[in-house]
Amino acid sequence: MTNRVERSGLQVAQPIAELLEQQIIPGTEVEASEFWSGLADTLTQLMPRNEELLKRRDELQAQLDAWHADHPGKDIDSASYKAFLKEIGYLLPEPADFKITTENVDREVAEIAGPQLVVPVMNARYALNAANARWGSLYDALYGTDAIDEADGAERAGSYNPVRGARVIEWAKRFLDAHFPLASGGHSQARSYRINAGALEVVLDEATGAVESLAQIEQLAGYRGTPEAPEAILLKKNGLHVEIQIDRASPIGKTDHAGVKDLLLESALTTIQDCEDSVAAVDAEDKAVVYGNWLGLMRGNLSESFSKGGQELTRTLNPDRVYLDSAGKEFSLPGRSLLFVRNVGHLMTNNAILSSTGQEIPEGIMDAFFTALIAKHDLLGNTERRNSRTGSVYIVKPKMHGPDEVDFTVDLFSRVEDVIGVPRNTLKLGIMDEERRTTVNLKECIRRASERVVFINTGFLDRTGDEIHTSMNAAAVTPKGAMKGEIWINAYEDFNVDVGIACGLPGRAQIGKGMWAMPDLMAAMLEAKISHPQAGANTAWVPSPTAATLHVTHYHEVNVAEVQRELASRPSASIDDVLKAPLRGAGELSPEEIQRELDNSAQGILGYVVRWVEHGVGCSKVPDINNVGLMEDRATLRISSQHLANWLKHGVCTEDQVTETLARMAKVVDQQNAGDPQYQPMSSSLEASIAFQAAKDLVFEGTSQPNGYTEPVLHARRLEAKAKARMQS
């Protein structure tokens, strides 16, 4: 039983009450009684409205299901369908042109393009790693990944391979030549670097004294050390910094003619500390961890100790980086990624707090109050490591369906601001364009939050999950592997950028693109992910700090601000194309190919769900059926489970076939996790395995899950697993 205390008529779980009153409140200039009464009043006003919004989702889905039942098949008449969507209020009139007016936005969001990390805030070590990923070693990122191939003696085996090291250095010098060229010659010819009369001089020949300067002398941003023998040279392009680190005594520096030991790249400009898709937080105990870690980040004192290589290490937040400018005057650059926090959406409730009538309260409302109050420590300077330098709090809100739900969030933020005592529009809003009703009404969604919006993005997986569920009754959907070739997905990606530019986001807000899900395949990422800045996105998600350091090279190559200016004149992507449902079904697939699709989805579902339900891991690198590690979270689970549910509904496969596939794939997942001593095999007793039963629920009850979301099943089964573990302990 959860121990609870009464606060302003609310029944608050003791861990949450203690965290709030003993750790969060002190120093915020807010009284605990004011916070609790403000939360209680807000719940009285907004809980019924929250319920109405969820009811509206269900009503629209029922109308869509009925329409597709009356108009079966994959050949949908576009004009009739679009008229129907307008008639039921799904597709709203486009508003008149406008520009957002968001103010006090940090440069990392408004002006500089670069990678973005998303990390589960529930894991302190990961949260710190991501926050510290503002700067990353290019040499390490190249050496430790497949960005440099292992042919001809360049293997990664052993402590250090000089052949591989030479290729890393060659790659890095080419990077310098491409983006920070000398007036003549190249960085590989450099014998030393020095500062003379406020300019960078590169000595190319010690014997003759031949020196060269940067082709663009303004790219020198600063240095560290002495002008004659600097320890670091700071360069800048497209708003991004690169630090040439010099140490002739270091193992790498002593092999380099100029003593260069590394290139440190400004990498993850922003990080979303996630309370939602990548965490498994189902009760007060979990939420206390989530809020406690966010508090540590905002106070600047979060730390985590761990063992690595036989050593005990403690990770903390990095300090800012200090340099001298060309005149010898000291200045600093942020040492940490600018942090957003992603709150939970409107759907889920949590038993951490019960309302005055004994109901679990909406988790999204709870998140808004707690994460905003915690961030006030940063606003007041109660921190050892400052986050926002403009006095803003950045909150990403996921899974909103259309403008009315954006309105709800704006009103919620206003109430929170009043309760915690911060100016209006302090709380900035990130709108995730990952639900179909938001996509087709994106301009109106942005208009409703035009004083707060700092972020829109595309998210292929959640968006596809909603695409499938929206058209569940229409016909069998396209195989997952072919989904990116569908008309709607390409139109959706372009439409998001077009609307964002038209609404004035450049210079005030981020336009983002989705995740690279294969953290071990960095060579492929370097080939493919440059398409995101080329598409006009000034940020894109990456799966690790290492990936951020590699991906940031794309933003040196592409000036996103220029791309956005060019795209502003193109015709907007067609809303008619966005509405083309992916209904190619199994098409020409053979029975064997269909079975491979089933195997792939079933294995992915089980591999993720077993960690979520049994271990409380909300995001991890899960090996797929070919043992390629993929970053899995609830978005990937949503598309896989909805895909199987759709194929079951339309007879592409049978219930017995899917049941057999799940049972067979359970053995595969068990084998893949055999090295984990904490792992509980599913295949030894499928009926007793809570994780296996959760996977079955997600598939066989997929058509009835609200908008195809996985959270209701996962939360219920995780609570069941936690209760079982308590009974056995």
Side-chain angles (χ1 to χ4, degrees), residues 279-427:
V279 305
V282 298
D283 55 21
E285 175 188 33
D286 295 335
K287 295 300 287 189
V289 174
V290 167
Y291 296 149
N293 286 347
W294 177 240
L295 177 64
L297 291 167
M298 291 295 95
R299 293 296 302 265
N301 58 10
L302 183 64
S303 66
E304 180 76 358
S305 297
F306 56 95
S307 296
K308 186 175 182 180
Q311 290 184 306
E312 281 294 318
L313 302 175
T314 298
R315 188 140 299 158
T316 59
L317 287 168
N318 287 341
D320 289 343
R321 303 186 68 79
V322 179
Y323 302 93
L324 300 172
D325 65 17
S326 58
K329 184 179 179 181
E330 190 173 277
F331 71 98
S332 65
L333 292 176
R336 300 159 307 284
S337 190
L338 181 74
L339 303 183
F340 289 61
V341 62
R342 180 161 64 169
N343 287 181
V344 170
H346 297 324
L347 174 65
M348 296 304 295
T349 61
N350 194 288
N351 65 16
I353 301 176
L354 304 182
S355 72
S356 58
T357 59
Q359 294 176 276
E360 292 186 2
I361 72 167
E363 194 171 355
I365 295 178
M366 181 167 65
D367 274 359
F369 269 84
F370 276 80
T371 59
L373 179 64
I374 288 167
K376 192 176 179 184
H377 286 289
D378 179 61
L379 303 180
L380 293 173
N382 303 333
T383 177
E384 301 170 22
R385 300 285 188 263
R386 198 66 183 260
N387 188 44
S388 173
R389 287 162 169 77
T390 61
S392 290
V393 179
Y394 300 98
I395 301 177
V396 176
K397 192 70 176 179
K399 298 178 172 59
M400 292 189 289
H401 289 248
D404 288 347
E405 297 197 11
V406 175
D407 258 344
F408 178 88
T409 299
V410 169
D411 291 347
L412 170 61
F413 282 9
S414 295
R415 288 175 177 272
V416 172
E417 288 164 341
D418 291 342
V419 171
I420 69 173
V422 297
R424 185 66 77 237
N425 296 326
T426 295
L427 305 186

Side-chain angles (χ1 to χ4, degrees), residues 28 95 100 112 218 250-251 262 295 306 356 409 412 438-439 494 548 554 591 607:
T28 62
I100 67 169
I112 314 172
E218 69 276 8
S250 68
D262 203 352
L295 177 64
F306 56 95
S356 58
T409 299
L412 170 61
T438 291
T439 299
D494 288 345
H554 295 143

Side-chain angles (χ1 to χ4, degrees), residues 459-599:
F460 167 71
L461 293 167
D462 256 314
R463 182 64 178 77
T464 303
D466 193 56
E467 187 74 24
I468 295 171
H469 193 84
T470 300
S471 303
M472 183 64 75
N473 270 18
V477 296
T478 299
K480 283 197 308 179
M483 193 64 77
K484 287 189 176 181
E486 287 288 332
I487 291 172
W488 78 268
I489 184 65
N490 296 300
Y492 155 66
E493 293 284 355
D494 288 345
F495 188 75
N496 178 274
V497 174
D498 294 337
V499 172
I501 292 173
C503 293
L505 269 67
R508 291 184 183 269
Q510 291 178 323
I511 299 174
K513 294 292 183 186
M515 180 67 77
W516 177 265
M518 297 163 282
D520 295 330
L521 302 183
M522 291 293 97
M525 187 195 78
L526 281 170
E527 287 290 324
K529 206 167 173 67
I530 193 171
S531 64
H532 285 161
Q534 287 173 336
N538 49 1
T539 195
W541 287 1
V542 286
S544 68
T546 295
T549 298
L550 294 173
H551 181 41
V552 81
T553 63
H554 295 143
Y555 297 89
H556 286 275
E557 188 168 345
V558 179
N559 186 320
V560 177
E562 290 182 359
V563 172
Q564 290 179 338
R565 284 192 289 271
E566 292 170 2
L567 293 177
S569 61
R570 77 177 178 187
S572 177
S574 166
I575 192 70
D576 294 324
D577 286 344
V578 173
L579 288 169
K580 291 186 186 300
L583 302 176
R584 284 191 285 145
E588 302 300 318
L589 295 184
S590 68
E592 292 76 18
E593 289 171 325
I594 290 172
Q595 185 60 57
R596 279 198 294 272
E597 287 277 332
L598 302 183
D599 287 355

